[in-house]
Amino acid sequence: MGNVGQGLTLAALLTGLMTGCAAEEADPDAASGESGASATTTAKVAQRGGSIGASGSACELPVTFDIAEFWKAEAVDAEGTSTATGDLADLADAFLRQGPVTMACEVDAKPAGKIGFLRVWTGEPGDTDARAVLEDFVAAEQGASGARYSTVKAGDITGTEVAYVTTSELLEETKKEHALAVTTSEGPVVLHLGGMDTAEHEAMLPAYELAKSTLHTTTG
């Protein structure tokens, strides 16, 4: 399964799928005792560790942004040849594609002592706006509910942000998620912050805020 993507292992794939199992309705406040919007706006910005997105960086993308200190970025080749077949191939496809976008990069928090990823998803050029892209992205995630959308200024880009929760019946656990969508001439880009649980998610919010505040397009 090592050919599914650079830095993407079968264990990581299956872990991601397990934490997104079928769900019941929930509210973002239930995950942390506060609204997703207030948690995002009050989060501190992490110490900068580098930048990705530009040509020659770990992940070449339609946008550039700073990543937090010690976090490690790796490109994901979702179109690469895989040895997986049958149901396993279907699982891989489900993990690498969500709604209108495909995983292009994941930034691992493990080197910084946290458990989770800031993942970047990209889509094909078109006329769909950032809000619609993000709504489709959330709708395609199993167990997602309580979505709260807002228009945000992300670096030099105006985009749409969402705070929501996912509930896993298998793990009997609800956790908070954040995502941000922008459109570029090369297509939409979604930045998604998950985490093992809500506590890990909130600990990683400064890294998400850093990415959001430094986001720029690499295309005209």
Side-chain angles (χ1 to χ4, degrees):
M1 195 61 185
N3 292 328
V4 170
Q6 300 172 17
L8 184 64
T9 65
L10 177 60
L13 187 154
L14 294 177
T15 298
L17 288 169
M18 285 179 63
T19 56
C21 293
E24 57 194 47
E25 191 70 18
D27 189 291
D29 293 353
S32 65
E34 59 182 271
S35 71
S38 64
T40 302
T41 55
T42 59
K44 295 180 180 179
V45 175
Q47 182 71 32
R48 179 183 182 275
S51 179
I52 61 172
S55 178
S57 66
C59 297
E60 297 184 8
L61 304 163
V63 296
T64 64
F65 59 89
D66 290 348
I67 61 174
E69 188 176 24
F70 305 123
W71 287 48
K72 183 179 179 181
E74 290 190 73
V76 176
D77 180 15
E79 303 302 327
T81 304
S82 172
T83 57
T85 58
D87 291 343
L88 195 56
D90 291 340
L91 288 174
D93 186 75
F95 182 68
L96 293 171
R97 293 174 177 80
Q98 186 166 321
V101 290
T102 301
M103 193 187 303
C105 180
E106 56 179 20
V107 191
D108 190 356
K110 196 179 291 87
K114 300 176 177 63
I115 303 175
F117 295 90
L118 176 64
R119 291 189 169 104
V120 186
W121 306 70
T122 58
E124 296 296 322
D127 297 329
T128 307
D129 62 23
R131 170 70 180 251
V133 169
L134 201 55
E135 288 177 344
D136 288 346
F137 179 83
V138 173
E141 182 163 358
Q142 289 186 323
S145 63
R148 297 179 180 181
Y149 295 89
S150 59
T151 300
V152 296
K153 182 73 174 177
D156 64 354
I157 309 169
T158 299
T160 300
E161 188 173 27
V162 62
Y164 63 104
V165 297
T166 54
T167 304
S168 169
E169 291 182 344
L170 179 63
L171 300 177
E172 298 182 345
E173 177 178 282
T174 296
K175 63 188 180 75
K176 185 188 292 185
E177 317 263 347
H178 277 85
L180 167 71
V182 297
T183 56
T184 76
S185 61
E186 291 188 7
V189 178
V190 174
L191 272 62
H192 172 261
L193 181 71
M196 182 181 70
D197 54 29
T198 290
E200 288 291 337
H201 177 87
E202 293 183 337
M204 295 188 297
L205 274 173
Y208 173 83
E209 288 295 320
L210 174 66
K212 184 172 73 172
S213 66
T214 56
L215 195 64
H216 302 281
T217 58
T218 56
T219 58

